[in-house]
Amino acid sequence: MRKIKNVILLGTLACSSIFAQQKPVYLDESKPIEQRVEDALSRMTLEEKVAMCHAQSKFSSAGVPRLGIPENWATDGPHGIRPEVLWDEWDQAGWTNDSCIAFPALTCLAATWNKDMALLYGKSIGEEARYRNKNILLGPGVNIYRTPLNGRNFEYMGEDPYLASRMVVPYIQGVQSNGVAACVKHFALNNQEIDRHTVNVNVDDRALYEIYLPAFKAAVQEGKAWAIMGAYNKYKGQWACHNQYLLNDILRGEWGFDGVVVSDWGGVNSTKQAIYNGLDMEFGSWTDGLSEGASNAYDNYYLAKPFLKLLQSGEVKVEEVDKKVRNILRLAFRTTMDSKRPWGSFGTVEHAAAGRKIAEEGIVLLQNKNNVLPIDLNKAKKIVVVGENAIKSMTVGGGSSSLKARYEISPLDGIKGRVGTQTQVVYARGYVGDASGNYNGVTSGQDLTENRSESELISEAVNMAKDADVVIFIGGLNKSDFQDSEGNDRKHLELPYNQDKVITELSKANKNLVVVNISGNAVAMPWANTVPAIVQSWYNGSESGASLASILVGDANPSGKLPFTFPVKLDDNGAHKLGEYPGNGEVTYNESIFVGYRWIDKEKIKPLFPFGHGLSYTTFAYGKVSADKKEMDADGKMTFSVSVKNTGNREGAEIVQLYISDLKSSLPRPVKELKDFQKIVLKPGEEKVVTFTIDKSALSFFDAAKHDWVAESGDFEALIGASSTDVKTKVGFKLR
Ligand code: GLC
């Protein structure tokens, strides 16, 4: 008997050790990822492969239960982790554990011009996504700011491809350090919300490669993004979610992208195109023959049964589904099946502090005559705060980036909390914007109902303002429809809700007026010459009011700079001057590469506030820039040096900008283009030498005829600026 037991024991040990040795390759993390991909693929049935290529619920897609390969769970959005929705509806699931920290909108992040803030942002939001067991974060968005009317500019990083490229890379790295895929969107040319599901964008290759693609290219090649989301619009007549040119030729062919391409929700319109034109995962389709969200609609997805039938009939080769599944399996091994990835964290004070730091670094001091700011709390005994944006919740609304925040400090509460009892703070509504408090089923809990007339509201505010030490008007846009919101664009550049009148009346009532514009877009400011202090703030999330108060009273010294131009009027913008915008089914970018300050420079227009502009509570002096050589070889580098000194009486940060001018080129080029920047902190009296090293890529333009980047020899200039119009010093050099 003992012998038999020994034999069984030995046999069991032998088997288990063989099994241990035979751990399937796809589960063996010591094996190269591509080997694991092939092994897993070889074990999957056709049905399992097809199931992976399309959604199974509003925000998830199938794994392979039989093989222990987890499902994929995506979540909005770029500014925080969206509250859970029902399995198959946009409606809230009503969970009680999914209130997040709301981070500042990405326009604010861009306005920091600080790559460390981008890394902090990505790490923090990635931790929140990881904790909520999401492995695909549907963000960041990096579509270029072509028109100040685009409803979603607040989700993006401004008008300049270089700034957006530098800021998106650390964000992605931060997110993915948590084992969560950043899904960079919306690829590509989604620069307006009007007709976003149908408009066909016509743009020349120079503008495509020099303006609209660089941030996506940096995201892929430097950020190593694991996912990309196709845009809704068309390009060259094909839907961007399945587009031969954008996805196969450029993303995969030219850039070597090895991640997954997911559709925007409802962005798929053809099985055949989805099969052959670069899409991997289909989400959010309005299924044929079924109402939106009807149960079991997922079998009707373009890449579901229709795809399976084509494969089973042999009309479509199995290699087509294998290509997609390889990318999806690679995503799994980078995220859900990486046993070493961290565990994340959610709703933490650290994340709140990160949001506040980013907001404080992103708020822009546009104007500060008579040094009205910072508010001296030893002198100011009565502060009057006016405006709906001082109280209105802004973490909700705006479309898919809407959040259910753990908390949100309003500007009014932030100011009250900061000044304490030593200073009286009184509030007047001033105007009525959007009294609703319900977005995507997330309710702000506020009742902003107001029955008084415009004139009553204005006279109340003016009467309060008369004897105030400081009046702070807090207005701008909000995230309601036709404001800063997904799905529609603004109708004009002017502030809505009669705010200009309120501001004008307040400026007559009190000379110590501060206007805080909260928006994700430029707005007209006809009163800019009569208002001493103007601050550009953003949708800054949970710590919004605290960060604004910190800037207004001078706890933090403002250091943000504009990531987009404030034109005086719409016609000062190339898309509006030359058209087309918004087009009519077709939209042609006639302004080509002359977007933002590139247009301003070309047309010699004086902007209201230029790209790269932002003041400080201290001052800076620039020395003369020098170059380490007079000529640069085509394969060489060149270094520019410039000293910057803090000539004020408090520490501050300055963003030193390097622009390059090509003085003579075979093709039209912008007067200058941003090619580097550095944010430096200086103590009072401190001076630092800032150096920039460039290579010929900073001198190049995209030659469509050659389909390549070209740096033409000849004369160039390096310009050092505190903004795109405030050039402090420049030096000429040659490219040999
Ligand atoms: C939306 C947006 C996209 C979002 C997705 C899921 O329509 O365009 O940015 O991530 O659908 O909500």
Side-chain angles (χ1 to χ4, degrees):
M1 192 55 180
R2 175 184 295 278
K3 272 191 178 176
I4 292 170
K5 277 184 181 176
N6 288 344
V7 167
I8 291 168
L9 177 63
L10 282 174
T12 309
L13 286 174
C15 288
S16 61
S17 66
I18 289 166
F19 180 76
Q21 282 157 6
Q22 285 173 354
K23 184 178 190 180
V25 167
Y26 76 97
L27 293 177
D28 183 346
E29 293 188 86
S30 69
K31 292 285 187 295
I33 201 165
E34 294 312 314
Q35 213 179 321
R36 297 175 68 193
V37 166
E38 293 308 319
D39 181 52
L41 188 68
S42 69
R43 298 167 185 264
M44 291 170 68
T45 66
L46 198 56
E47 288 76 3
E48 288 167 339
K49 292 177 182 176
V50 168
M52 269 194 147
C53 297
H54 63 83
Q56 64 173 11
S57 77
K58 192 55 85 184
F59 281 98
S60 74
S61 61
V64 187
R66 180 176 61 83
L67 297 177
I69 296 173
E71 299 168 340
N72 288 296
W73 279 87
T75 179
D76 287 314
H79 309 149
I81 306 309
R82 182 174 183 157
E84 204 68 25
V85 297
L86 295 176
W87 179 259
D88 186 39
E89 301 299 338
W90 293 110
D91 298 339
Q92 300 294 307
W95 287 17
T96 55
N97 64 345
D98 57 352
S99 296
C100 68
I101 291 296
F103 296 96
L106 292 193
T107 37
C108 177
L109 175 61
T112 69
W113 292 58
N114 186 338
K115 298 166 214 168
D116 295 338
M117 291 297 106
L119 184 61
L120 174 64
Y121 196 128
K123 179 178 177 298
S124 304
I125 195 172
E127 287 170 348
E128 299 247 330
R130 174 69 189 94
Y131 184 83
R132 294 270 291 103
N133 282 317
K134 310 296 183 182
N135 70 312
I136 305 171
L137 175 71
L138 301 175
V142 287
N143 293 101
I144 287 295
Y145 183 118
R146 175 178 181 248
T147 161
L149 303 187
N150 177 20
R152 293 188 83 173
N153 278 334
F154 73 100
E155 291 186 54
Y156 306 146
M157 297 194 191
E159 73 186 32
D160 181 79
Y162 182 84
L163 176 61
S165 301
R166 294 308 95 213
M167 297 302 286
V168 74
V169 168
Y171 179 110
I172 293 164
Q173 291 166 339
V175 170
Q176 298 186 165
S177 67
N178 291 284
V180 173
C183 182
V184 186
K185 65 189 186 181
H186 306 86
F187 189 66
L189 298 166
N190 179 191
N191 306 102
Q192 65 188 57
E193 289 299 289
I194 293 176
D195 296 338
R196 66 171 176 161
H197 291 281
T198 54
V199 71
N200 182 44
V201 177
N202 302 305
V203 63
D204 62 285
D205 276 2
R206 280 203 71 199
L208 179 68
Y209 278 83
E210 290 191 22
I211 303 294
Y212 297 102
L213 291 183
F216 288 102
K217 182 178 180 184
V220 167
Q221 294 195 328
E222 298 173 61
K224 306 296 181 197
W226 294 337
I228 288 278
M229 182 191 292
Y232 281 131
N233 52 276
K234 292 179 184 174
Y235 169 63
K236 291 193 177 203
Q238 288 184 11
W239 306 96
C241 284
H242 31 75
N243 188 295
Q244 173 63 26
Y245 311 98
L246 293 174
L247 300 178
N248 286 344
D249 298 350
I250 296 172
L251 183 68
R252 302 274 184 201
E254 293 181 16
W255 297 349
F257 179 60
D258 71 351
V260 292
V261 174
V262 307
S263 73
D264 199 339
W265 267 239
V268 179
N269 297 275
S270 153
T271 291
K272 282 284 181 68
Q273 285 194 29
I275 292 171
Y276 292 108
N277 289 358
L279 181 71
D280 295 316
M281 300 171 88
E282 173 188 2
F283 283 96
S285 294
W286 324 136
T287 44
D288 292 336
L290 290 169
S291 66
E292 285 180 46
S295 64
N296 195 28
Y298 300 96
D299 285 347
N300 294 351
Y301 268 41
Y302 294 96
L303 287 182
K305 274 185 181 164
F307 187 17
L308 182 60
K309 282 194 183 109
L310 289 169
L311 289 162
Q312 288 167 333
S313 69
E315 186 177 340
V316 171
K317 292 191 174 70
V318 173
E319 72 184 60
E320 294 308 329
V321 69
D322 286 353
K323 281 181 209 167
K324 302 178 193 303
V325 172
R326 284 194 180 92
N327 294 327
I328 302 168
L329 288 169
R330 200 170 296 121
L331 173 71
F333 296 136
R334 287 169 166 165
T335 59
T336 51
M337 296 179 79
D338 171 4
S339 65
K340 296 180 293 302
R341 65 180 180 146
W343 296 102
S345 55
F346 191 66
T348 65
V349 291
E350 290 80 7
H351 294 163
R356 173 162 176 175
K357 174 79 177 131
I358 292 159
E360 287 177 354
E361 283 223 19
I363 291 172
V364 183
L365 178 59
L366 293 177
Q367 186 169 284
N368 190 22
K369 294 174 184 166
N370 324 323
N371 287 323
V372 169
L373 290 175
I375 297 168
D376 182 347
L377 292 178
N378 296 320
K379 292 178 184 163
K381 292 305 163 206
K382 179 183 175 185
I383 295 175
V384 172
V385 176
V386 180
E388 184 176 280
N389 278 4
I391 60 171
K392 181 179 179 56
S393 170
M394 296 283 206
T395 53
V396 291
S400 57
S401 60
S402 177
L403 297 171
K404 179 167 74 174
R406 184 152 292 209
Y407 67 91
E408 178 181 358
I409 301 172
S410 71
L412 180 61
D413 288 345
I415 293 165
K416 282 182 174 175
R418 172 60 188 83
V419 304
T421 53
Q422 63 190 16
T423 303
Q424 182 196 15
V425 178
V426 292
Y427 174 71
R429 182 72 172 266
Y431 69 91
V432 178
D434 176 353
S436 70
N438 187 324
Y439 301 88
N440 301 89
V442 177
T443 54
S444 63
Q446 294 179 304
D447 178 3
L448 298 179
T449 313
E450 175 60 68
N451 300 315
R452 288 173 293 172
S453 69
E454 274 186 4
S455 57
E456 286 170 319
L457 290 169
I458 291 176
S459 47
E460 177 199 41
V462 167
N463 290 335
M464 277 189 184
K466 282 175 181 160
D467 66 347
D469 296 293
V470 181
V471 179
I472 307 172
F473 176 87
I474 302 179
L477 305 179
N478 56 35
K479 294 189 181 172
S480 311
D481 286 349
F482 305 101
Q483 295 298 313
D484 283 329
S485 175
E486 178 177 338
N488 40 65
D489 289 345
R490 292 161 64 203
K491 296 182 186 308
H492 49 70
L493 187 65
E494 286 66 34
L495 283 173
Y497 315 130
N498 196 34
Q499 293 177 74
D500 289 340
K501 174 111 175 81
V502 184
I503 293 167
T504 303
E505 292 310 310
L506 288 173
S507 66
K508 293 174 191 167
N510 193 312
K511 64 180 177 19
N512 288 333
L513 174 62
V514 180
V515 169
V516 178
N517 179 57
I518 294 177
S519 72
N521 258 312
V523 298
M525 297 182 176
W527 32 263
N529 290 330
T530 57
V531 171
I534 305 173
V535 173
Q536 172 62 28
S537 192
W538 314 98
Y539 304 117
N540 281 340
S542 292
E543 288 287 328
S544 186
S547 54
L548 179 61
S550 170
I551 292 288
L552 293 175
V553 302
D555 293 343
N557 187 358
S559 62
K561 300 235 179 191
L562 291 178
F564 51 77
T565 304
F566 270 64
V568 172
K569 57 190 188 308
L570 265 186
D571 255 7
D572 290 350
N573 167 286
H576 292 270
K577 185 69 179 174
L578 293 187
E580 289 166 323
Y581 168 81
N584 179 12
E586 295 278 337
V587 64
T588 302
Y589 292 5
N590 293 315
E591 75 283 3
S592 180
I593 57 176
F594 298 101
V595 173
Y597 68 87
R598 291 169 167 84
W599 175 263
I600 292 286
D601 286 347
K602 175 176 180 290
E603 298 298 311
K604 299 182 176 50
I605 293 168
K606 186 175 179 344
L608 176 62
F609 295 108
F611 172 81
H613 170 73
L615 303 176
S616 170
Y617 292 145
T618 187
T619 51
F620 301 99
Y622 286 64
K624 175 134 185 55
V625 63
S626 62
D628 65 344
K629 53 179 81 84
K630 289 202 175 308
E631 287 195 347
M632 184 166 103
D633 298 330
D635 56 2
K637 294 183 186 296
M638 178 168 268
T639 298
F640 304 101
S641 305
V642 61
S643 68
V644 181
K645 182 174 184 178
N646 180 340
T647 49
N649 56 17
R650 66 172 290 171
E651 182 175 286
E654 172 68 327
I655 299 163
V656 184
Q657 300 155 46
L658 169 69
Y659 295 86
I660 296 290
S661 277
D662 185 348
L663 300 184
K664 184 173 177 301
S665 57
S666 61
L667 290 174
R669 296 194 70 180
V671 169
K672 61 180 180 296
E673 297 179 275
L674 180 73
K675 293 299 177 183
D676 206 342
F677 59 87
Q678 283 183 41
K679 188 165 197 175
I680 56 170
V681 178
L682 294 170
K683 294 186 179 6
E686 186 181 9
E687 186 169 10
K688 279 181 186 168
V689 174
V690 178
T691 59
F692 299 107
T693 297
I694 63 167
D695 60 24
K696 76 173 184 180
S697 65
L699 313 182
S700 304
F701 63 88
F702 187 78
D703 184 326
K706 295 175 181 159
H707 198 76
D708 199 0
W709 290 87
V710 170
E712 291 176 332
S713 57
D715 293 319
F716 290 81
E717 275 185 336
L719 302 92
I720 302 295
S723 82
S724 62
T725 59
D726 185 7
V727 175
K728 301 290 188 182
T729 174
K730 63 183 182 181
V731 62
F733 65 97
K734 285 185 184 303
L735 174 64
R736 227 196 303 276

